[in-house]
PDB file of all heavy atoms in Angstrom:
ATOM      1  N   ALA M   1    -154.046  10.494-275.281  1.00  0.00           N
ATOM      2  CA  ALA M   1    -152.696   9.957-275.376  1.00  0.00           C
ATOM      3  C   ALA M   1    -152.208  10.019-276.812  1.00  0.00           C
ATOM      4  O   ALA M   1    -152.938   9.668-277.737  1.00  0.00           O
ATOM      5  CB  ALA M   1    -152.650   8.517-274.871  1.00  0.00           C
ATOM      6  N   ALA M   2    -150.968  10.459-276.970  1.00  0.00           N
ATOM      7  CA  ALA M   2    -150.333  10.524-278.287  1.00  0.00           C
ATOM      8  C   ALA M   2    -149.075   9.662-278.252  1.00  0.00           C
ATOM      9  O   ALA M   2    -148.151   9.934-277.475  1.00  0.00           O
ATOM     10  CB  ALA M   2    -149.989  11.963-278.652  1.00  0.00           C
ATOM     11  N   GLY M   3    -149.067   8.616-279.064  1.00  0.00           N
ATOM     12  CA  GLY M   3    -147.943   7.685-279.090  1.00  0.00           C
ATOM     13  C   GLY M   3    -146.932   8.041-280.157  1.00  0.00           C
ATOM     14  O   GLY M   3    -147.194   8.830-281.067  1.00  0.00           O
ATOM     15  N   SER M   4    -145.767   7.426-280.039  1.00  0.00           N
ATOM     16  CA  SER M   4    -144.632   7.735-280.901  1.00  0.00           C
ATOM     17  C   SER M   4    -144.379   6.630-281.917  1.00  0.00           C
ATOM     18  O   SER M   4    -144.997   5.561-281.865  1.00  0.00           O
ATOM     19  CB  SER M   4    -143.378   7.908-280.036  1.00  0.00           C
ATOM     20  OG  SER M   4    -143.594   8.810-278.983  1.00  0.00           O
ATOM     21  N   LEU M   5    -143.445   6.900-282.817  1.00  0.00           N
ATOM     22  CA  LEU M   5    -142.930   5.894-283.740  1.00  0.00           C
ATOM     23  C   LEU M   5    -141.588   5.421-283.165  1.00  0.00           C
ATOM     24  O   LEU M   5    -140.614   6.163-283.162  1.00  0.00           O
ATOM     25  CB  LEU M   5    -142.748   6.502-285.122  1.00  0.00           C
ATOM     26  CG  LEU M   5    -142.666   5.548-286.300  1.00  0.00           C
ATOM     27  CD1 LEU M   5    -143.987   4.814-286.516  1.00  0.00           C
ATOM     28  CD2 LEU M   5    -142.269   6.309-287.564  1.00  0.00           C
ATOM     29  N   LEU M   6    -141.571   4.195-282.641  1.00  0.00           N
ATOM     30  CA  LEU M   6    -140.351   3.646-282.060  1.00  0.00           C
ATOM     31  C   LEU M   6    -139.580   2.875-283.121  1.00  0.00           C
ATOM     32  O   LEU M   6    -140.155   2.021-283.808  1.00  0.00           O
ATOM     33  CB  LEU M   6    -140.671   2.737-280.869  1.00  0.00           C
ATOM     34  CG  LEU M   6    -140.861   3.463-279.533  1.00  0.00           C
ATOM     35  CD1 LEU M   6    -142.201   4.196-279.494  1.00  0.00           C
ATOM     36  CD2 LEU M   6    -140.762   2.499-278.369  1.00  0.00           C
ATOM     37  N   LEU M   7    -138.290   3.175-283.232  1.00  0.00           N
ATOM     38  CA  LEU M   7    -137.459   2.647-284.303  1.00  0.00           C
ATOM     39  C   LEU M   7    -136.311   1.814-283.742  1.00  0.00           C
ATOM     40  O   LEU M   7    -135.687   2.179-282.744  1.00  0.00           O
ATOM     41  CB  LEU M   7    -136.889   3.795-285.133  1.00  0.00           C
ATOM     42  CG  LEU M   7    -137.915   4.791-285.701  1.00  0.00           C
ATOM     43  CD1 LEU M   7    -137.201   5.973-286.327  1.00  0.00           C
ATOM     44  CD2 LEU M   7    -138.814   4.100-286.713  1.00  0.00           C
ATOM     45  N   ARG M   8    -136.026   0.719-284.423  1.00  0.00           N
ATOM     46  CA  ARG M   8    -134.861  -0.100-284.082  1.00  0.00           C
ATOM     47  C   ARG M   8    -133.590   0.587-284.590  1.00  0.00           C
ATOM     48  O   ARG M   8    -133.646   1.566-285.331  1.00  0.00           O
ATOM     49  CB  ARG M   8    -134.990  -1.491-284.686  1.00  0.00           C
ATOM     50  CG  ARG M   8    -136.225  -2.258-284.235  1.00  0.00           C
ATOM     51  CD  ARG M   8    -136.237  -3.659-284.834  1.00  0.00           C
ATOM     52  NE  ARG M   8    -137.455  -4.397-284.492  1.00  0.00           N
ATOM     53  CZ  ARG M   8    -138.556  -4.413-285.219  1.00  0.00           C
ATOM     54  NH1 ARG M   8    -138.593  -3.733-286.361  1.00  0.00           N
ATOM     55  NH2 ARG M   8    -139.609  -5.097-284.832  1.00  0.00           N
ATOM     56  N   ALA M   9    -132.449   0.010-284.222  1.00  0.00           N
ATOM     57  CA  ALA M   9    -131.168   0.608-284.618  1.00  0.00           C
ATOM     58  C   ALA M   9    -130.998   0.668-286.125  1.00  0.00           C
ATOM     59  O   ALA M   9    -130.326   1.573-286.649  1.00  0.00           O
ATOM     60  CB  ALA M   9    -130.025  -0.184-283.986  1.00  0.00           C
ATOM     61  N   ASP M  10    -131.609  -0.278-286.862  1.00  0.00           N
ATOM     62  CA  ASP M  10    -131.478  -0.282-288.329  1.00  0.00           C
ATOM     63  C   ASP M  10    -132.503   0.620-289.014  1.00  0.00           C
ATOM     64  O   ASP M  10    -132.570   0.665-290.248  1.00  0.00           O
ATOM     65  CB  ASP M  10    -131.590  -1.709-288.866  1.00  0.00           C
ATOM     66  CG  ASP M  10    -132.958  -2.345-288.596  1.00  0.00           C
ATOM     67  OD1 ASP M  10    -133.840  -1.674-288.023  1.00  0.00           O
ATOM     68  OD2 ASP M  10    -133.134  -3.525-288.946  1.00  0.00           O
ATOM     69  N   GLY M  11    -133.304   1.345-288.225  1.00  0.00           N
ATOM     70  CA  GLY M  11    -134.292   2.259-288.779  1.00  0.00           C
ATOM     71  C   GLY M  11    -135.654   1.656-289.025  1.00  0.00           C
ATOM     72  O   GLY M  11    -136.601   2.376-289.371  1.00  0.00           O
ATOM     73  N   SER M  12    -135.797   0.349-288.862  1.00  0.00           N
ATOM     74  CA  SER M  12    -137.107  -0.288-289.039  1.00  0.00           C
ATOM     75  C   SER M  12    -138.003   0.031-287.851  1.00  0.00           C
ATOM     76  O   SER M  12    -137.533   0.381-286.756  1.00  0.00           O
ATOM     77  CB  SER M  12    -136.954  -1.800-289.195  1.00  0.00           C
ATOM     78  OG  SER M  12    -136.375  -2.376-288.023  1.00  0.00           O
ATOM     79  N   VAL M  13    -139.300  -0.104-288.063  1.00  0.00           N
ATOM     80  CA  VAL M  13    -140.269   0.270-287.031  1.00  0.00           C
ATOM     81  C   VAL M  13    -140.459  -0.872-286.040  1.00  0.00           C
ATOM     82  O   VAL M  13    -140.790  -1.995-286.421  1.00  0.00           O
ATOM     83  CB  VAL M  13    -141.626   0.641-287.668  1.00  0.00           C
ATOM     84  CG1 VAL M  13    -142.666   0.922-286.582  1.00  0.00           C
ATOM     85  CG2 VAL M  13    -141.476   1.850-288.572  1.00  0.00           C
ATOM     86  N   GLN M  14    -140.218  -0.587-284.779  1.00  0.00           N
ATOM     87  CA  GLN M  14    -140.537  -1.548-283.722  1.00  0.00           C
ATOM     88  C   GLN M  14    -142.001  -1.439-283.322  1.00  0.00           C
ATOM     89  O   GLN M  14    -142.688  -2.438-283.144  1.00  0.00           O
ATOM     90  CB  GLN M  14    -139.665  -1.327-282.495  1.00  0.00           C
ATOM     91  CG  GLN M  14    -140.021  -2.249-281.315  1.00  0.00           C
ATOM     92  CD  GLN M  14    -139.793  -1.595-279.975  1.00  0.00           C
ATOM     93  OE1 GLN M  14    -138.847  -0.821-279.796  1.00  0.00           O
ATOM     94  NE2 GLN M  14    -140.668  -1.877-279.012  1.00  0.00           N
ATOM     95  N   SER M  15    -142.485  -0.197-283.183  1.00  0.00           N
ATOM     96  CA  SER M  15    -143.881  -0.004-282.792  1.00  0.00           C
ATOM     97  C   SER M  15    -144.397   1.323-283.320  1.00  0.00           C
ATOM     98  O   SER M  15    -143.763   2.362-283.156  1.00  0.00           O
ATOM     99  CB  SER M  15    -144.038  -0.034-281.269  1.00  0.00           C
ATOM    100  OG  SER M  15    -145.394   0.180-280.908  1.00  0.00           O
ATOM    101  N   ALA M  16    -145.580   1.257-283.945  1.00  0.00           N
ATOM    102  CA  ALA M  16    -146.300   2.451-284.378  1.00  0.00           C
ATOM    103  C   ALA M  16    -147.654   2.506-283.673  1.00  0.00           C
ATOM    104  O   ALA M  16    -148.635   2.990-284.223  1.00  0.00           O
ATOM    105  CB  ALA M  16    -146.482   2.437-285.891  1.00  0.00           C
ATOM    106  N   GLY M  17    -147.684   1.996-282.463  1.00  0.00           N
ATOM    107  CA  GLY M  17    -148.929   1.867-281.721  1.00  0.00           C
ATOM    108  C   GLY M  17    -149.184   0.403-281.402  1.00  0.00           C
ATOM    109  O   GLY M  17    -148.397  -0.479-281.761  1.00  0.00           O
ATOM    110  N   VAL M  18    -150.294   0.155-280.744  1.00  0.00           N
ATOM    111  CA  VAL M  18    -150.629  -1.201-280.296  1.00  0.00           C
ATOM    112  C   VAL M  18    -152.021  -1.574-280.787  1.00  0.00           C
ATOM    113  O   VAL M  18    -152.956  -0.779-280.691  1.00  0.00           O
ATOM    114  CB  VAL M  18    -150.566  -1.291-278.755  1.00  0.00           C
ATOM    115  CG1 VAL M  18    -151.171  -2.585-278.237  1.00  0.00           C
ATOM    116  CG2 VAL M  18    -149.120  -1.171-278.291  1.00  0.00           C
ATOM    117  N   ARG M  19    -152.126  -2.784-281.330  1.00  0.00           N
ATOM    118  CA  ARG M  19    -153.432  -3.311-281.710  1.00  0.00           C
ATOM    119  C   ARG M  19    -153.870  -4.356-280.693  1.00  0.00           C
ATOM    120  O   ARG M  19    -153.045  -4.895-279.944  1.00  0.00           O
ATOM    121  CB  ARG M  19    -153.381  -3.927-283.108  1.00  0.00           C
ATOM    122  CG  ARG M  19    -152.542  -5.184-283.220  1.00  0.00           C
ATOM    123  CD  ARG M  19    -152.459  -5.672-284.660  1.00  0.00           C
ATOM    124  NE  ARG M  19    -151.676  -6.894-284.776  1.00  0.00           N
ATOM    125  CZ  ARG M  19    -152.188  -8.115-284.701  1.00  0.00           C
ATOM    126  NH1 ARG M  19    -153.499  -8.278-284.527  1.00  0.00           N
ATOM    127  NH2 ARG M  19    -151.424  -9.181-284.811  1.00  0.00           N
ATOM    128  N   LEU M  20    -155.146  -4.659-280.681  1.00  0.00           N
ATOM    129  CA  LEU M  20    -155.710  -5.659-279.778  1.00  0.00           C
ATOM    130  C   LEU M  20    -156.041  -6.902-280.583  1.00  0.00           C
ATOM    131  O   LEU M  20    -156.850  -6.851-281.515  1.00  0.00           O
ATOM    132  CB  LEU M  20    -156.975  -5.100-279.113  1.00  0.00           C
ATOM    133  CG  LEU M  20    -157.626  -5.929-278.019  1.00  0.00           C
ATOM    134  CD1 LEU M  20    -156.681  -6.151-276.854  1.00  0.00           C
ATOM    135  CD2 LEU M  20    -158.905  -5.242-277.531  1.00  0.00           C
ATOM    136  N   THR M  21    -155.403  -8.024-280.260  1.00  0.00           N
ATOM    137  CA  THR M  21    -155.619  -9.257-281.019  1.00  0.00           C
ATOM    138  C   THR M  21    -156.918  -9.938-280.579  1.00  0.00           C
ATOM    139  O   THR M  21    -157.465  -9.615-279.516  1.00  0.00           O
ATOM    140  CB  THR M  21    -154.447 -10.226-280.822  1.00  0.00           C
ATOM    141  OG1 THR M  21    -154.469 -10.716-279.473  1.00  0.00           O
ATOM    142  CG2 THR M  21    -153.113  -9.543-281.102  1.00  0.00           C
ATOM    143  N   PRO M  22    -157.423 -10.900-281.356  1.00  0.00           N
ATOM    144  CA  PRO M  22    -158.668 -11.573-280.994  1.00  0.00           C
ATOM    145  C   PRO M  22    -158.615 -12.323-279.667  1.00  0.00           C
ATOM    146  O   PRO M  22    -159.659 -12.579-279.056  1.00  0.00           O
ATOM    147  CB  PRO M  22    -158.902 -12.548-282.158  1.00  0.00           C
ATOM    148  CG  PRO M  22    -158.191 -11.929-283.313  1.00  0.00           C
ATOM    149  CD  PRO M  22    -156.972 -11.295-282.727  1.00  0.00           C
ATOM    150  N   ASP M  23    -157.393 -12.676-279.199  1.00  0.00           N
ATOM    151  CA  ASP M  23    -157.296 -13.346-277.903  1.00  0.00           C
ATOM    152  C   ASP M  23    -156.823 -12.402-276.800  1.00  0.00           C
ATOM    153  O   ASP M  23    -156.446 -12.839-275.716  1.00  0.00           O
ATOM    154  CB  ASP M  23    -156.375 -14.570-277.985  1.00  0.00           C
ATOM    155  CG  ASP M  23    -154.991 -14.229-278.511  1.00  0.00           C
ATOM    156  OD1 ASP M  23    -154.751 -13.046-278.846  1.00  0.00           O
ATOM    157  OD2 ASP M  23    -154.145 -15.139-278.588  1.00  0.00           O
ATOM    158  N   GLY M  24    -156.855 -11.104-277.088  1.00  0.00           N
ATOM    159  CA  GLY M  24    -156.592 -10.125-276.046  1.00  0.00           C
ATOM    160  C   GLY M  24    -155.146  -9.790-275.799  1.00  0.00           C
ATOM    161  O   GLY M  24    -154.807  -9.250-274.742  1.00  0.00           O
ATOM    162  N   HIS M  25    -154.266 -10.074-276.742  1.00  0.00           N
ATOM    163  CA  HIS M  25    -152.885  -9.616-276.631  1.00  0.00           C
ATOM    164  C   HIS M  25    -152.784  -8.176-277.138  1.00  0.00           C
ATOM    165  O   HIS M  25    -153.487  -7.779-278.074  1.00  0.00           O
ATOM    166  CB  HIS M  25    -151.948 -10.494-277.462  1.00  0.00           C
ATOM    167  CG  HIS M  25    -151.619 -11.804-276.838  1.00  0.00           C
ATOM    168  ND1 HIS M  25    -152.404 -12.926-276.987  1.00  0.00           N
ATOM    169  CD2 HIS M  25    -150.576 -12.183-276.054  1.00  0.00           C
ATOM    170  CE1 HIS M  25    -151.862 -13.935-276.326  1.00  0.00           C
ATOM    171  NE2 HIS M  25    -150.762 -13.522-275.753  1.00  0.00           N
ATOM    172  N   GLY M  26    -151.904  -7.419-276.526  1.00  0.00           N
ATOM    173  CA  GLY M  26    -151.528  -6.130-277.071  1.00  0.00           C
ATOM    174  C   GLY M  26    -150.320  -6.339-277.963  1.00  0.00           C
ATOM    175  O   GLY M  26    -149.265  -6.768-277.479  1.00  0.00           O
ATOM    176  N   ALA M  27    -150.432  -6.086-279.264  1.00  0.00           N
ATOM    177  CA  ALA M  27    -149.363  -6.374-280.218  1.00  0.00           C
ATOM    178  C   ALA M  27    -148.917  -5.090-280.908  1.00  0.00           C
ATOM    179  O   ALA M  27    -149.748  -4.260-281.299  1.00  0.00           O
ATOM    180  CB  ALA M  27    -149.843  -7.385-281.259  1.00  0.00           C
ATOM    181  N   ASP M  28    -147.596  -4.928-281.054  1.00  0.00           N
ATOM    182  CA  ASP M  28    -147.065  -3.741-281.719  1.00  0.00           C
ATOM    183  C   ASP M  28    -147.475  -3.702-283.187  1.00  0.00           C
ATOM    184  O   ASP M  28    -147.425  -4.723-283.893  1.00  0.00           O
ATOM    185  CB  ASP M  28    -145.542  -3.724-281.630  1.00  0.00           C
ATOM    186  CG  ASP M  28    -145.036  -3.373-280.251  1.00  0.00           C
ATOM    187  OD1 ASP M  28    -145.581  -2.434-279.651  1.00  0.00           O
ATOM    188  OD2 ASP M  28    -144.103  -4.038-279.770  1.00  0.00           O
ATOM    189  N   LEU M  29    -147.850  -2.528-283.651  1.00  0.00           N
ATOM    190  CA  LEU M  29    -148.152  -2.304-285.063  1.00  0.00           C
ATOM    191  C   LEU M  29    -146.875  -1.979-285.817  1.00  0.00           C
ATOM    192  O   LEU M  29    -146.074  -1.159-285.351  1.00  0.00           O
ATOM    193  CB  LEU M  29    -149.143  -1.154-285.219  1.00  0.00           C
ATOM    194  CG  LEU M  29    -150.594  -1.438-284.801  1.00  0.00           C
ATOM    195  CD1 LEU M  29    -151.360  -0.132-284.644  1.00  0.00           C
ATOM    196  CD2 LEU M  29    -151.273  -2.320-285.827  1.00  0.00           C
ATOM    197  N   PRO M  30    -146.654  -2.578-286.987  1.00  0.00           N
ATOM    198  CA  PRO M  30    -145.428  -2.320-287.744  1.00  0.00           C
ATOM    199  C   PRO M  30    -145.475  -1.032-288.551  1.00  0.00           C
ATOM    200  O   PRO M  30    -144.455  -0.619-289.097  1.00  0.00           O
ATOM    201  CB  PRO M  30    -145.339  -3.534-288.666  1.00  0.00           C
ATOM    202  CG  PRO M  30    -146.759  -3.937-288.887  1.00  0.00           C
ATOM    203  CD  PRO M  30    -147.473  -3.649-287.598  1.00  0.00           C
ATOM    204  N   GLU M  31    -146.622  -0.405-288.638  1.00  0.00           N
ATOM    205  CA  GLU M  31    -146.743   0.867-289.347  1.00  0.00           C
ATOM    206  C   GLU M  31    -147.948   1.614-288.781  1.00  0.00           C
ATOM    207  O   GLU M  31    -148.844   1.007-288.183  1.00  0.00           O
ATOM    208  CB  GLU M  31    -146.919   0.647-290.847  1.00  0.00           C
ATOM    209  CG  GLU M  31    -148.119  -0.179-291.218  1.00  0.00           C
ATOM    210  CD  GLU M  31    -148.191  -0.464-292.704  1.00  0.00           C
ATOM    211  OE1 GLU M  31    -147.147  -0.428-293.374  1.00  0.00           O
ATOM    212  OE2 GLU M  31    -149.307  -0.723-293.190  1.00  0.00           O
ATOM    213  N   PRO M  32    -147.968   2.936-288.916  1.00  0.00           N
ATOM    214  CA  PRO M  32    -149.108   3.695-288.393  1.00  0.00           C
ATOM    215  C   PRO M  32    -150.419   3.208-288.990  1.00  0.00           C
ATOM    216  O   PRO M  32    -150.493   2.917-290.182  1.00  0.00           O
ATOM    217  CB  PRO M  32    -148.802   5.136-288.819  1.00  0.00           C
ATOM    218  CG  PRO M  32    -147.311   5.170-288.971  1.00  0.00           C
ATOM    219  CD  PRO M  32    -146.939   3.810-289.496  1.00  0.00           C
ATOM    220  N   PRO M  33    -151.455   3.089-288.188  1.00  0.00           N
ATOM    221  CA  PRO M  33    -152.734   2.591-288.695  1.00  0.00           C
ATOM    222  C   PRO M  33    -153.430   3.619-289.567  1.00  0.00           C
ATOM    223  O   PRO M  33    -153.136   4.818-289.486  1.00  0.00           O
ATOM    224  CB  PRO M  33    -153.533   2.334-287.412  1.00  0.00           C
ATOM    225  CG  PRO M  33    -152.984   3.324-286.438  1.00  0.00           C
ATOM    226  CD  PRO M  33    -151.513   3.434-286.753  1.00  0.00           C
TER     227      PRO M  33
END
C-alpha cells in the first residue's frame, strides 16, 4: 500500500499516514515519517 499526502484547504497537512498510539488509536501523522 502506498499512501498519499492529504492537504487541507490552507495547504497544511491533514494526514501523511497513520501512526498507532499506545492505546490502539489510529492517528493521522502531521508529516511524513
Side-chain angles (χ1 to χ4, degrees):
S4 309
L5 200 66
L6 276 74
L7 306 172
R8 301 183 184 91
D10 63 2
S12 62
V13 175
Q14 176 213 324
S15 179
V18 169
R19 67 184 181 91
L20 187 61
T21 69
D23 56 358
H25 282 86
D28 286 316
L29 287 164
E31 59 185 24

